[in-house]
Amino acid sequence: MSSPSPVVAPLDAFNQALLEQVHPPNWLNPTPRNPYDLVVIGAGTAGLVTALGTAGLKLGLKIALIEKQLLGGDCLNWGCVPSKCLIEAARRVALVRNAQEFGIEVDLKSIDFAAIMARMRRVRSQISHHDSVHRCQELGIDVFFGVAQFTNSTTLEVDGTALKFRRAVIATGAKPTVPAIPGLGEVGYLTNETIFSLTTLPPRLGIIGGGPIGCELGQAFQQFGSQVTIFQRGAHLLSREDPDVAAILQHRLQNEGVNLALGAQLESVALTPTGKSIHYRQGDQVHSLEVDQILVAVGRSPNVGSLNLAAAGIELTEQGHLEVNDYLQTRQAHIYAAGDVCLDHKFTHSADAAARIVIKNALFSPFGLGRSQLSRLIIPQVTYTQPELARVGLTLEKAQTQGLRPAVIEIPFSEVDRAIAAGEAEGMIRVIYDPRGDRILGAVIVGYQAGEMISQVTQTMVHQKGLKSLTQVIYPYPTRTEVIKKVADTYYQNSLLNSVSQYLLNVALKLTTLNLLIKT
């Protein structure tokens, strides 16, 4: 059956090249080779890693991959790749604007938003071959485009064609959550799935949601020349971060001109002759703000509505989530799930890691022997703002609420020579650890390329090493990673002081005991 390509706007040469790779026009689905050893539903990161990883083992397994839109999913088409293209362009704008600090006079005459978006589409099309139909075909994967629905626990249909399977993986990802705000649907809004189709810069952009997506794109569009306002229900941006950590980025955004409406309860949205009016409440005060475009960025919800999971004997939680165990199995042991559809950490790298768990558990763990567990993963995360915010493990607030009595070492980048020389001394590193066993509980880095630096802390945690192991590492000078050396040095000094204090305390106790014995 022919499967027409979805519309990707604007349909220029770059997006046509993208479609040729990830959903070729008038694609003909293959004749099924039933039963399949593995059927993967969804061709985002989790689905592609599962299908390509299994096929790459060259075991002769029959594999089917089903996708209703574009191979590559969010990461390639509406997430990581396009957003980082925009963020990188915005970073260069900021560098030019701040060049005078270094004695360089630059006249920033204009910012060509259409050219920025065209470059994004070009880069995306260049990268798309990694996720392409042709790569799947070369590895012997049958690619089906269409909507998948279970008919029972061993069969599903793709637009009326039955596919039987021995094992299946649900990797359908997530979709933008849209809040129930009166008038929002009628007025119209953007999400991460549509904002990258823009070709003209909105003069006034309202963003509903102050999480990572809202902060990243809000800062970028402000740099490009939009007047951005971020509406956040909570008291501070990035509600999952410690307040003082989030405050560093919050102050940066405000200094760059982003308006923040914190503690805002959105009540309605309406069209006006000159734009879209957002009505919201802050405490007892009612306000309204007119914008040209609205970006909804309040989170993501699992994509499960069209799967007919009940036919396969799979139920959702009360919150509408797909429930899996620690081995990523659904209630049907031969049906697994991976990626945003079932994970709390909705990141490309966690989807990749989960897919690898699925491959091992589904194919290489006979009778359940040697299975890998989701709970054993240590997953870092990065908010790609300027400065970046990278975190792994527990925040200080969470560690304290769990009663762990953590110790904290915090070093500002204002104490790091390279950061000062580069004019990027904003931010800090905070390491939270258990002093009783030298176990790192978590860490956060706010600074330039924090996402690159967090990996060393993550690696230390994965190998169950503590801060003591970092004292043995020699860091090249001058680099920003010297901030980790300073953490290690502080830990060593604290440990030395604790050892000396303990030694003196023991000596004092012995002397006291000896004195008592002499007196008696």
Side-chain angles (χ1 to χ4, degrees):
M1 181 181 293
S2 176
S3 175
S5 296
V7 176
V8 180
L11 195 56
D12 60 2
F14 301 133
N15 277 343
Q16 288 180 24
L18 173 73
L19 288 173
E20 284 291 341
Q21 297 285 356
V22 298
H23 195 147
N26 299 317
W27 170 264
L28 292 175
N29 285 336
T31 301
R33 295 183 291 155
N34 290 324
Y36 284 96
D37 297 292
L38 181 67
V39 168
V40 182
I41 311 168
T45 298
L48 282 170
V49 171
T50 301
L52 293 171
T54 302
L57 297 172
K58 301 186 183 303
L59 299 175
L61 299 176
K62 290 186 290 183
I63 304 167
L65 177 63
I66 305 166
E67 173 56 49
K68 68 177 181 179
Q69 295 188 68
L70 305 176
L71 301 189
D74 263 15
C75 183
L76 173 66
N77 300 293
W78 311 292
C80 309
V81 172
S83 68
K84 301 313 167 286
C85 287
L86 266 62
I87 288 167
E88 197 58 38
R91 188 178 74 85
R92 280 163 167 73
V93 171
L95 287 173
V96 173
R97 285 195 173 127
N98 297 326
Q100 190 174 12
E101 178 188 343
F102 294 85
I104 303 168
E105 293 290 341
V106 181
D107 184 10
L108 183 60
K109 293 182 179 179
S110 65
I111 296 170
D112 190 340
F113 182 74
I116 289 171
M117 299 302 282
R119 177 188 177 273
M120 176 274 292
R121 296 192 298 274
R122 173 172 58 81
V123 171
R124 183 172 61 182
S125 67
Q126 289 174 339
I127 291 174
S128 63
H129 68 91
H130 295 296
D131 300 343
S132 68
V133 168
H134 315 294
R135 185 182 177 197
C136 293
Q137 286 180 314
E138 288 172 359
L139 287 170
I141 299 169
D142 289 347
V143 178
F144 294 83
F145 285 105
V147 177
Q149 288 188 321
F150 286 98
T151 55
N152 56 54
S153 62
T154 58
T155 309
L156 53 80
E157 287 187 353
V158 182
D159 293 345
T161 301
L163 275 65
K164 296 185 179 296
F165 59 85
R166 294 187 175 91
R167 297 176 186 83
V169 180
I170 300 170
T172 47
K175 59 187 176 184
T177 301
V178 179
I181 301 171
L184 182 61
E186 292 76 15
V187 165
Y189 56 89
L190 301 167
T191 68
N192 72 294
E193 293 182 355
T194 55
I195 194 168
F196 300 110
S197 295
L198 291 178
T199 55
T200 58
L201 182 71
R204 301 165 299 177
L205 177 63
I207 299 179
I208 302 175
I213 294 175
C215 290
E216 289 176 0
L217 293 181
Q219 186 178 46
F221 274 79
Q222 183 73 29
Q223 295 283 18
F224 296 149
S226 292
Q227 177 53 66
V228 173
T229 301
I230 298 177
F231 297 89
Q232 171 74 338
R233 177 176 292 184
H236 64 83
L237 299 179
L238 300 172
S239 57
R240 294 191 177 187
E241 307 297 336
D242 288 324
D244 61 332
V245 172
I248 298 172
L249 177 60
Q250 196 164 294
H251 292 153
R252 174 69 173 266
L253 292 177
Q254 289 175 310
N255 288 339
E256 291 176 350
V258 176
N259 293 328
L260 301 181
L262 303 177
Q265 302 292 324
L266 273 66
E267 298 192 335
S268 65
V269 180
L271 279 174
T272 70
T274 53
K276 304 175 181 183
S277 183
I278 300 174
H279 304 280
Y280 63 101
R281 181 182 296 274
Q282 287 177 301
D284 296 331
Q285 300 293 316
V286 177
H287 308 274
S288 63
L289 179 74
E290 188 177 81
V291 298
D292 299 292
Q293 291 281 10
I294 297 172
L295 171 63
V296 173
V298 296
R300 302 181 62 72
S301 306
N303 249 328
V304 293
S306 62
L307 289 174
N308 193 24
L309 292 172
I314 300 172
E315 297 179 6
L316 300 176
T317 65
E318 292 182 1
Q319 292 75 30
H321 295 160
L322 180 60
E323 191 174 15
V324 293
N325 63 16
D326 207 19
Y327 307 109
L328 291 174
Q329 292 170 299
T330 66
R331 294 189 179 186
Q332 295 286 355
H334 66 293
I335 300 178
Y336 293 76
D340 290 1
V341 73
C342 63
L343 299 182
D344 290 332
H345 292 91
K346 299 189 188 304
F347 312 124
T348 293
H349 48 284
S350 53
D352 181 299
R356 295 169 193 272
I357 289 177
V358 165
I359 294 173
K360 181 180 179 183
N361 292 351
L363 301 173
F364 301 105
S365 300
F367 310 108
L369 299 174
R371 291 185 293 180
S372 293
Q373 295 171 278
L374 177 68
S375 60
R376 295 183 67 84
L377 296 180
I378 296 175
I379 302 173
Q381 60 189 74
V382 185
T383 300
Y384 294 93
T385 46
Q386 304 168 53
E388 291 181 353
L389 193 160
R391 177 167 59 80
V392 64
L394 299 176
T395 63
L396 177 58
E397 195 173 72
K398 282 192 175 180
Q400 290 170 336
T401 57
Q402 292 182 15
L404 294 173
R405 293 186 178 179
V408 177
I409 296 176
E410 189 170 309
I411 307 292
F413 275 102
S414 58
E415 296 181 10
V416 178
D417 294 350
R418 178 61 183 277
I420 297 170
E424 291 158 346
E426 187 177 15
M428 54 84 177
I429 182 173
R430 171 183 292 164
V431 178
I432 305 139
Y433 67 101
D434 183 349
R436 295 167 295 181
D438 185 22
R439 180 169 65 98
I440 299 175
L441 302 172
V444 61
I445 305 176
V446 184
Y448 177 72
Q449 290 190 334
E452 309 297 330
M453 287 186 276
I454 200 68
S455 293
Q456 182 171 6
V457 182
T458 304
Q459 184 179 34
T460 304
M461 294 174 67
V462 167
H463 292 290
Q464 298 181 353
K465 302 290 185 180
L467 288 168
K468 183 179 179 180
S469 67
L470 294 176
T471 64
Q472 303 166 21
V473 178
I474 298 175
Y475 295 86
Y477 176 87
T479 61
R480 293 177 179 85
T481 53
E482 241 209 322
V483 76
I484 300 178
K485 176 181 184 295
K486 289 179 178 293
V487 168
D489 289 345
T490 302
Y491 171 77
Y492 176 77
Q493 292 165 6
N494 290 346
S495 298
L496 192 61
L497 287 172
N498 288 337
S499 297
V500 171
S501 297
Q502 189 63 47
Y503 173 77
L504 293 175
L505 179 61
N506 289 336
V507 169
L509 288 172
K510 288 178 180 178
L511 289 174
T512 301
T513 303
L514 181 61
N515 187 44
L516 288 173
L517 288 173
I518 292 172
K519 287 183 177 180
T520 56

